[in-house]
Amino acid sequence: AVHARLAYVPGDVVLWPNLTGGEIIDLLSSLRGTPPSADARAHRERLVRDFDLDLTKKGRAYSKGNRQKVALIAALASDAELFLLDEPLTNLDAQLRLETRAALERLQGELGITTIYVTHDQEEALSLADTIMMMNDGRVQQVATSRELYSHPVNRFVAGFVGTPPMNFV
């Protein structure tokens, strides 16, 4: 049997309304059975700085974007071996999305943890992924690096999806 510690961040996060961001992260950590060590606290504080977030607010006081950041910090602060991020930047405005994407890219590289990142935003996929699985209607179209997808698409769907502006088929 395969057993991996998984951290999941959905596209639309719901927080406990009467707990602070810090209390929520501590609660999730204790539910996973990983009491916060000094190293874990230092790691969390770095994540809080990287994501520029105040963890003293109650859950109900966070915007959608900041709820997403609390969930991302909780996931990244865990001892997970695998991250599953399901459209984690969907609720962020354009500037915050760019900043958060840059922080995610840097942290994922530093942590070296396998991440499955679901997105419909090709720019996110192309900038964050080592390998991209392009899907259409639930079927895998191509698995490749961003360069391979762009230079050698296997079909018209992939060719039309990758790149800005899209490929001209004339």
Side-chain angles (χ1 to χ4, degrees), residues 122 125-132 144-152 162:
Q122 67 168 308
L126 294 171
S127 67
L128 289 172
D130 296 324
T131 303
I132 297 171
T145 65
S146 56
R147 180 178 295 275
E148 290 172 275
L149 283 173
Y150 190 78
S151 301
H152 304 290
V162 177

Side-chain angles (χ1 to χ4, degrees), residues 14-92:
V14 178
L15 300 179
W16 287 276
N18 295 322
L19 297 179
T20 67
E23 290 168 339
I24 291 166
I25 293 170
D26 289 343
L27 175 62
L28 292 172
S29 178
S30 69
L31 290 173
R32 283 189 299 269
T34 54
S37 65
D39 286 344
R41 279 199 242 323
H43 179 56
R44 181 178 96 175
E45 291 310 312
R46 175 162 181 248
L47 292 168
V48 169
R49 284 191 307 275
D50 284 346
F51 285 106
D52 190 28
L53 187 66
D54 176 4
L55 291 182
T56 63
K57 292 182 180 180
K58 300 274 186 186
R60 69 176 160 268
Y62 286 112
S63 66
K64 279 187 169 189
N66 283 335
R67 287 196 302 256
Q68 205 69 28
K69 285 181 171 185
V70 170
L72 284 166
I73 291 169
L76 292 166
S78 73
D79 63 345
E81 298 170 330
L82 175 67
F83 292 140
L84 176 55
L85 306 178
D86 185 5
E87 304 229 24
L89 307 182
T90 300
N91 292 312
L92 306 182

